[in-house]
Amino acid sequence: LMHLTRKLIEIRTMLLSIDQSDSLKLPSIVVVGSQSSGKSSVLEAIVGQEFLPKGNNMVTRRPIELTLIHTPDAKEEYGEFPALGLGKITDFASIQRTLTDLNLAVPADEAVSNDPIDLRIYSSRVPDLTLIDLPGYIQIASMDQPDSLKEKIALLCEKYIREPNIILAVCAADVDLANSPALRASRKVDPLGLRTIGVVTKMDLVPAEQGAIILSGNKYPLHLGYVGVVSKAPGKAHWRESATVVAQRAETDFFKANREFFTDASSSSSGTGLMVGTDMLRRRLMDVLESSMASSLHGITNAVQLELEEAQYQFKVQYNDRRISAESYVAETMDALKAQFKEFTARLGKPQIRAKLKEMLDERVMGVLEQLYWSDKRAAELGALGADSRVKPEDVEPYWRYKLEAASSLLTKSGVGRDSTLLVVDGLRALIDSIAAREPFTFHPGAAERLIEFSHAILRDRIGVTSDSVETCIKPYKYEVEVDEREWEQGRTQAVDLFERELKLCEEKLTDIRKRIGGSRRLSSLIGYVKKLEEEELERRQRRLAGVEKDGQTLDEATERREVDDYRYPPGQVLDARHAMKYNERSNILKLRLAALRSKRCKAGPNQNILCPEAFLNVVAEKLAYTSAMFINIELLDQFFYQFPREIDSRLLYDLDRKEIVAFARQNPAIRKHLDLQERKDKLEEVMKQLNSLSTLRKDTAPTPRRN
Ligand code: GDP
């Protein structure tokens, strides 16, 4: 039947990992005792190893869930902290250090923590047992601690000494049992002493006769009885022996020497003998735990069944029994990322890129026209030349030919390689950033950061190569641009479109200003005023240049008058008027040039390029956009589209170990919930299976008589 306890201990561990609710608890033995009662010594004697933290300053701040696993054939003894993932620890001094560290890690102001430390010890010398060592609230009660802390510890202990746990009350033989805090605590929750077992330590410190009286339990009867032990080695341990071995021998010697007082219960035929010795204690604990577990079996089976049904129902209702795994979630997320990226990149084809670049270059063409033509005082001449049908291209002054060449090279030499590359790079970057900023990456900030980081790295890597390559390929246009009829016509119509759009914009702005100022009348008077201001300013500047300042008085008057006017026109409106003048000017030019672009002469073909610079520059811009798009596609986009999915795999997917995959999946709250429920259901199913196999096992076995 040893098999049963062992199995149930396993089940108990599994249940603890499912949840901490009381209904799913199998009994364990909870050790209580005041400071210096010999609690640690007893626990170490049971295990046969020194492993508990020592020190006066309340070294146990967290409960220790100690699971002992009997491994009959193993030569090695070792401990394990499953939560820490440190593996087997064969050095018990190291276990002791780890326990000390874990306890000291609880901040002093919290003093105690409810979070138990899970420690398992595997040995051929230990029985299958579960023991819980608690921070001693009993020892604390006598100390000068704040009430809140006392309460906290009391609550923690209360939680553990509840049913179905067995209470191991440790009392020292040299202290009156009436004063034993352990027994007092036990009596509160187990007044009949049905699930309390007394351990009387330091039997060597009282006369054997007196010790025997204590163990008889006449004064404070406990259903499970008292066991007397001696668990302290007298003097120093021999260097080749562990302290516990020495202590064990001292105990054996002590009880042998006082045999007449303590007849061992197991050897006494009458069964009235007293229970003494650590060995006896071990066996007693095994028996008690086993029968307690056996009697819990039925209840726990029902509870697990209920929980399992609930979990199965929820799993059906919420997820329609659909199973997921962290791995599949990660894989699906990455696939979705790739798919999303692909969908986005469809919007980044050559035609789209070309259109974007053309837009940028159109802006630039406008800038060049403004700089070289519109601000030229002779601009009107060009219009007049164009309108005169008798003027032949060869009659046009070289001035205008140079102008066109300057305009063309201003455009071709404006750093198109770098700027067009950066334009596309920025587009890609914005795309990646937007992917990283939406679900599911909002749940995975680490992955989002890595995604951005490696995408930017690929882009950074390609900027130089791409812009150089684009610049090289547009180089011929810096010297000569050949234009055929078809290209000319296209350039002309595009220029017309562009100008129309620009004109519309100008007009819209004007309308806005007019509305803001309060009608066109008011706007024209404002403009008149601003013009006057400008004239005055001009006049003054001229005078100053001429060094004449004689008629200063008139000017002062003008300034004064203006100050009064300024009062009438708020500065914001003056600014609006200035803008309105600019827009007016521009829309006039645009209208003129639109007429030119629509003229017969302009339609005649590329030989009219000097008189129709807008059409020509548009053709140049088109050619630059076409060539840039082609090489950006080869050097940047193709490379990026090739590398990106591979980097997803290598940086986001294959990089993760099992633990990280689970952590990643659990960052998503919906997935975490799904996984949690699924895991709970799986564990409950497993526990149920084990419980069922146990009950069949028990039916085959004859029940053992319980000791009384
Ligand atoms: P805890 O504070 O309850 O964990 O008590 P310890 O196990 O640390 O023991 C307190 C003191 O009592 C230590 O100095 C032990 O050496 C001593 N001690 C423990 N058990 C015995 C025993 O059976 N006999 C004697 N004489 N001393 C003991």
Side-chain angles (χ1 to χ4, degrees), residues 509-559:
K509 294 254 172 146
L510 275 170
T511 316
D512 281 352
I513 291 176
R514 224 173 280 135
K515 256 194 222 145
R516 203 161 44 232
I517 280 180
S520 37
R521 256 233 221 114
R522 187 166 163 86
L523 181 58
S524 22
S525 72
L526 244 173
I527 287 177
Y529 164 69
V530 171
K531 273 190 182 147
K532 206 165 64 205
L533 276 189
E534 281 174 357
E535 272 162 29
E536 270 172 29
E537 181 62 27
L538 195 70
E539 197 181 323
R540 195 161 30 176
R541 216 181 292 157
Q542 278 167 354
R543 271 165 199 257
R544 207 175 289 146
L545 273 177
V548 198
E549 196 60 81
K550 53 182 182 201
D551 208 0
Q553 196 153 5
T554 353
L555 265 176
D556 280 351
E557 274 165 22
T559 318

Side-chain angles (χ1 to χ4, degrees), residues 33-42 54 139 170 201-205 229-232:
S34 61
Q35 188 148 40
S36 302
S37 61
K39 192 165 70 122
S40 315
S41 307
V42 170
K54 301 277 151 63
Q139 69 214 35
V170 180
T201 59
K202 309 190 188 181
M203 290 293 287
D204 56 323
L205 292 187
V229 296
V230 175
S231 45
K232 187 213 174 180

